[in-house]
């Protein structure tokens, strides 16, 4: 699933059901404690290292390495597709319906990323201004944003899983692309079409990988 489809799924998950009115207690917001702030840098580095170590232990040729790396990319992308709507729904619930601050630091996102999720949840354009903090609970309810019980606890957990999956994907892509270049070169001399079929991707991706190598 591409990023635009994942974003639509996230918006649908965030707007699945409205907030529970009885849960709202403090100025239109649920009072919660300080959000956990995971060490996402360490999470990403650890996930990357796990992938590198896994492939370093392999004693296989480039064809098998390509197959395994392509599978690893697919697995990571499937996990990302599963986790993103869950993360975004929890983020929207925490941001709009609780007293929590610094949501981006618990979600593993830059401030711009958090704003993008919030705008999507409210059905706003990418450059639209968000309602004020005081207006957000009512605006979120009007937009059908779902209140997620215990989202303040779940958000950091889901975000850790999501960021680890993103790191595994990025690292697996590096390994896959290196295998692609090896197989394109002599003595293997695979065609780009053959490689595209092997990794079950569009021919244009293989062309892009090859062109990037020529420029480097």
């Amino acid at each position: 699933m591409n990023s635009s489809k994942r974003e639509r799924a996230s918006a649908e998950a965030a707007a699945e059901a409205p907030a529970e009115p009885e849960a709202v207690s403090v100025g239109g917001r649920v009072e919660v404690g300080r959000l956990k702030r995971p060490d996402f840098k360490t999470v990403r580095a650890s996930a990357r290292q796990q992938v590198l170590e896994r492939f370093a232990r392999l004693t296989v040729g480039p064809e098998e390495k390509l197959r395994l790396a392509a599978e690893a990319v697919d697995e990571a992308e499937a996990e990302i597709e599963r986790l993103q709507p869950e993360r975004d729904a929890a983020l929207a619930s925490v941001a709009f319906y609780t007293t929590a601050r610094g949501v981006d630091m618990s979600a593993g996102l830059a401030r711009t990323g958090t704003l993008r999720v919030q705008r999507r949840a409210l059905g706003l354009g990418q450059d639209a201004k968000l309602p004020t903090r005081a207006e957000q609970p009512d605006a979120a309810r009007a937009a059908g944003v779902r209140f997620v019980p215990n989202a303040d606890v779940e958000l950091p957990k889901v975000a850790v899983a999501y960021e680890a999956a993103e790191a595994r994907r990025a690292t697996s892509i590096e390994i896959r692309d290196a295998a692609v270049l090896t197989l394109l070169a002599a003595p293997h001399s695979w065609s780009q079409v053959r490689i595209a079929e092997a990794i079950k991707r569009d021919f244009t991706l293989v062309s892009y990988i090859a062109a990037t190598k020529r420029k480097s």
Side-chain angles (χ1 to χ4, degrees):
M1 183 183 293
N2 60 34
S3 60
S4 63
K5 289 182 179 178
R6 287 203 301 268
E7 289 175 357
R8 285 198 297 272
S10 298
E12 289 167 1
E16 186 174 297
E20 296 293 337
E22 63 269 19
V24 178
S25 59
V26 181
R29 293 175 177 270
V30 177
E31 188 169 14
V32 297
R34 181 183 175 88
L35 296 177
K36 287 187 177 180
R37 297 178 177 179
D39 182 350
F40 287 106
K41 183 176 180 180
T42 298
V43 167
R44 297 179 190 111
S46 177
R48 174 178 172 80
Q49 189 61 31
Q50 288 173 12
V51 175
L52 292 174
E53 289 178 358
R54 174 197 168 194
F55 278 88
R57 290 193 297 267
L58 295 177
T59 54
V60 298
E63 182 175 353
E64 180 65 5
K65 181 174 284 189
L66 175 66
R67 184 186 69 79
L68 292 172
E71 286 182 355
V73 173
D74 291 344
E75 290 167 4
E77 288 182 345
E79 188 171 4
I80 289 166
E81 290 168 13
R82 177 180 64 82
L83 291 168
Q84 184 173 338
E86 187 177 346
R87 182 204 63 183
D88 290 358
L91 187 157
S93 183
V94 171
F96 294 139
Y97 294 132
T98 79
T99 57
R101 299 277 188 170
V103 176
D104 46 317
M105 288 180 279
S106 292
L109 293 170
R111 180 60 181 156
T112 52
T114 301
L115 291 173
R116 185 164 55 247
V117 173
Q118 290 177 285
R119 290 189 184 103
R120 273 204 312 268
L122 294 177
L124 301 175
Q126 63 179 5
D127 296 320
K129 185 177 180 180
L130 286 177
T132 66
R133 185 170 174 83
E135 296 168 339
Q136 285 175 9
D138 286 342
R141 282 193 292 276
V145 176
R146 179 165 57 102
F147 175 78
V148 181
N150 301 315
D152 56 309
V153 175
E154 293 304 315
L155 175 59
K157 296 178 183 177
V158 177
V160 164
Y162 179 90
E163 291 301 317
E166 282 279 18
R168 286 194 296 274
R169 174 182 178 273
T171 309
S172 298
I173 285 175
E174 290 177 19
I175 296 169
R176 180 200 67 190
D177 291 359
V180 165
L181 294 173
T182 297
L183 289 168
L184 284 172
H188 307 286
S189 301
W190 280 29
S191 70
Q192 293 184 9
V193 171
R194 182 180 178 185
I195 291 176
E197 291 173 349
I199 64 176
K200 299 177 182 178
R201 295 290 172 134
D202 191 87
F203 167 79
T204 55
L205 173 63
V206 182
S207 296
Y208 174 79
I209 295 169
T212 301
K213 175 61 176 178
R214 284 195 295 270
K215 293 177 182 177
S216 62

